[in-house]
Amino acid sequence: MTHQDPQLAHEMSPDDWDEMNFPRPETQGFDAVVEAAISRRGFMGGTLAFGSGAAVMGTSMLSGEAAMAGQADRFAFDQLPIQTDGTVHVPEGYTWDVLVRWGDPLFSDAPAFDAEMGVPTEGSDRVFGENTDGMELFNVGGHELLVVNSEYVNAKYNLAHTEDGMPTSADDVLRLQNFQGVSVMEVTEGDNGWEVVIDSPFNRRIHHNTPMTIDGPAAGHDLLKTEADPTGTASLGTFNNCGSGRTPWGTYLTCEENFNGYFGTTAELALGDTHTMGFKRYGVKTDIDTGRYNYHGFDARFDISKNPNEPHRAGYIVEIDPAKPDSTPVKHTALGRFKHENAAYALAPDGRVVVYMGDDERGEFMYKWLSTDKYVPGGDTSTLLSKGQLYVAKFNDDMSGEWMALTPAATGMDEAEIAIFSRMAASAVGATTMDRPEWIAVNPTAVEGYCCLTNNRNRGVKPNAGGDETPANGPNPREVNNFGQIVRWRPSGDNHASNTFEWDLYVMAGNPNTQEGLYKGSSNINAGNMFNSPDGMQFDTTGIMWIQTDGNDKNEGDFAGMGNNQMLAGDPVTGEIRRFLTGPKGSEVTGLTWSTDRRTMFVGIQHPGRPFPDGEGSLPRSAIVAVKRVDNALVG
Ligand code: FEO
Ligand code: CA
Ligand code: CA
Ligand code: CA
């Protein structure tokens, strides 16, 4: 099979599509092997030191054992066993119900969903988008507004009239463009449970053609100018909206991840070095073929032979004000351009705004934003995501770490170049290559952050796309890491604005039944709560961490005993982890938020592999489910 096989292209996740189209060169240099061995020894030493220093740090992986030895736990449910079927399961005492699924109307003039054909192009921007991902709920004047990302499309479901899901016309492309982006919708709970308020004045679809404003250091730069926008400050659309974030001033942050897959070329290219290097590092295809969606075959904006700067206008954090349906979303270039997973905010004691962010690609980096100005409730917030400093993480094997400022002096790049080519800036300062940083979450009850490092089969095997070697290192201690782990850091002085931190691993996923050594997982993993590939993550108000997975759900081999993708609860203090929810076979569980009264949790089910939730005879439909306790008690 080759990457030209469109059928295959549409069955793959954006991550897998990327990896197939941009395989990293193998390295077998002796130096790299030695370096890996040294790093590994350093980690083991660090682990031992950490175990004996548990009293100092307060918690550790070892404390998971204490929890399992019989201490009372903070979970209000019994562990759900693994599941392998085509539906959602929750523990006894809880219920779930579908809130909304791909193609459900947001407006009364939306076309009806056809069980076999889906939604036609006309009106495809009036329905809930496909492949639900990150989401946040805002209460605006008593209205519950759910803001949700639609990450990508399963084109063969959306374009059921085509043989292989590849667009055959501009109309097909427009339909795909409309099903992605962001949905803002009012939701309400009545006698029939939660439902969308159709025609609410807050309802809105933001998609691949919605006007955006670009701000920050890259705004107006030559690399962002196009024929349609000679100012370089007004682009169309937000792309591959993966994880989410929110600000204390009531706005939603949507995070552009695998934006590269929407661009291609219809002609041989004659690009300068800057474009060539950038496309290579970010995975924009430069050979002539249909690519992932063949937008470029029918929409010249995505044809880099005609618009080589258009990809520079994607890959950012985008801010949306759900309270103002007519507002223009803002792309904040100051927070860097990479494959943004999510955006987790924290406030420094002095009121400056911190945003932690991961770049989800094998061997890429973790970042932090620190605003110059302070957040004052009710005050001016216009500079808080445009004026400040971007940092990248360096983890040391002695369990210390530092945030390295991406400044012109440190990188040899100017401010605009750092914003547009943040990956190169981070490589220039020697940032730590990570095992695909997915969601980051900040604990509301302790000054600490967590990042899901989902997996990395290239760890110790291949460098990243920038040529940075990726030997096993402190927070990424396993070569060919198919299980993933969650790293935790505590900023010095209990201050998220600090340049230094201490770190440990909250959990290493693994299989204690079939694996040896580090691949068995850390001590808080057992035969009952096994999982792989942690991805989504949110804290509830009580300080329980909810972990969602996007991994191998074959339930065999290395992954035997793990079942379908799932959501687990983690106690940051004891280390205990317990399975709470399982998704249908083939799905990823991603996106989590709560109703304002905290009696409902909304959970996203992306790309179900079976005809969920409507059953046989219908297309599989990604959906958001509302999970409640039977006694209507608080769920977070
Ligand atoms: Fe869209 Fe990295 O998950
Ligand atoms: Ca996904
Ligand atoms: Ca994800
Ligand atoms: Ca993932």
Side-chain angles (χ1 to χ4, degrees), residues 514-588:
T514 65
Q515 304 288 312
E516 292 300 325
L518 294 179
Y519 297 84
K520 289 167 73 165
S522 49
S523 58
N524 47 354
I525 292 297
N526 54 60
N529 70 2
M530 277 191 280
F531 63 93
N532 73 88
S533 305
D535 185 331
M537 186 164 46
Q538 291 271 21
F539 271 93
D540 67 28
T541 55
T542 71
I544 294 292
M545 179 170 67
W546 296 86
I547 304 161
Q548 302 174 319
T549 72
D550 172 25
N552 186 311
D553 69 354
K554 291 196 168 62
N555 199 34
E556 58 189 35
D558 290 355
F559 310 102
M562 298 179 182
N564 291 353
N565 278 304
Q566 54 195 281
M567 184 164 87
L568 310 100
D571 185 330
V573 178
T574 64
E576 190 180 1
I577 295 173
R578 188 175 294 180
R579 184 179 302 107
F580 175 78
L581 174 149
T582 55
K585 191 92 177 166
S587 73
E588 164 189 356

Side-chain angles (χ1 to χ4, degrees), residues 147-315:
V147 190
V148 192
N149 291 340
S150 285
E151 186 183 34
Y152 70 105
V153 278
N154 292 298
K156 69 175 181 179
Y157 301 151
N158 289 285
L159 303 177
H161 60 284
T162 65
E163 215 166 274
D164 52 16
M166 195 55 85
T168 57
S169 65
D171 187 77
D172 287 351
V173 168
L174 181 62
R175 187 185 306 181
L176 299 188
Q177 292 173 335
N178 281 344
F179 285 137
Q180 299 169 77
V182 179
S183 301
V184 183
M185 54 197 175
E186 182 173 355
V187 295
T188 187
E189 188 176 28
D191 292 343
N192 296 322
W194 283 94
E195 49 190 38
V196 174
V197 180
I198 292 176
D199 293 329
S200 163
F202 293 102
N203 291 359
R204 180 179 188 188
R205 281 303 321 283
I206 292 165
H207 47 61
H208 286 184
N209 291 296
T210 303
M212 308 266 146
T213 297
I214 301 172
D215 84 354
H221 192 277
D222 280 351
L223 285 169
L224 266 64
K225 292 175 182 167
T226 63
E227 212 173 319
D229 170 28
T231 70
T233 60
S235 68
L236 295 180
T238 179
F239 301 96
N240 211 261
N241 307 81
C242 184
S244 58
R246 61 192 304 139
T247 65
W249 52 95
T251 58
Y252 180 77
L253 302 177
T254 186
C255 307
E256 300 186 318
E257 192 188 19
N258 292 293
F259 64 89
N260 56 309
Y262 299 103
F263 300 94
T265 182
T266 58
E268 291 293 340
L269 298 166
L271 299 166
D273 287 350
T274 302
H275 284 81
T276 302
M277 282 175 52
F279 291 159
K280 180 162 180 283
R281 183 68 187 263
Y282 287 86
V284 175
K285 292 194 74 178
T286 52
D287 45 343
I288 303 173
D289 66 18
T290 53
R292 185 161 171 78
Y293 295 120
N294 199 22
Y295 278 17
H296 53 285
F298 302 97
D299 186 342
R301 189 153 65 89
F302 298 89
D303 183 347
I304 57 173
S305 71
K306 300 190 174 98
N307 287 292
N309 284 343
E310 195 68 34
H312 298 153
R313 293 146 66 90

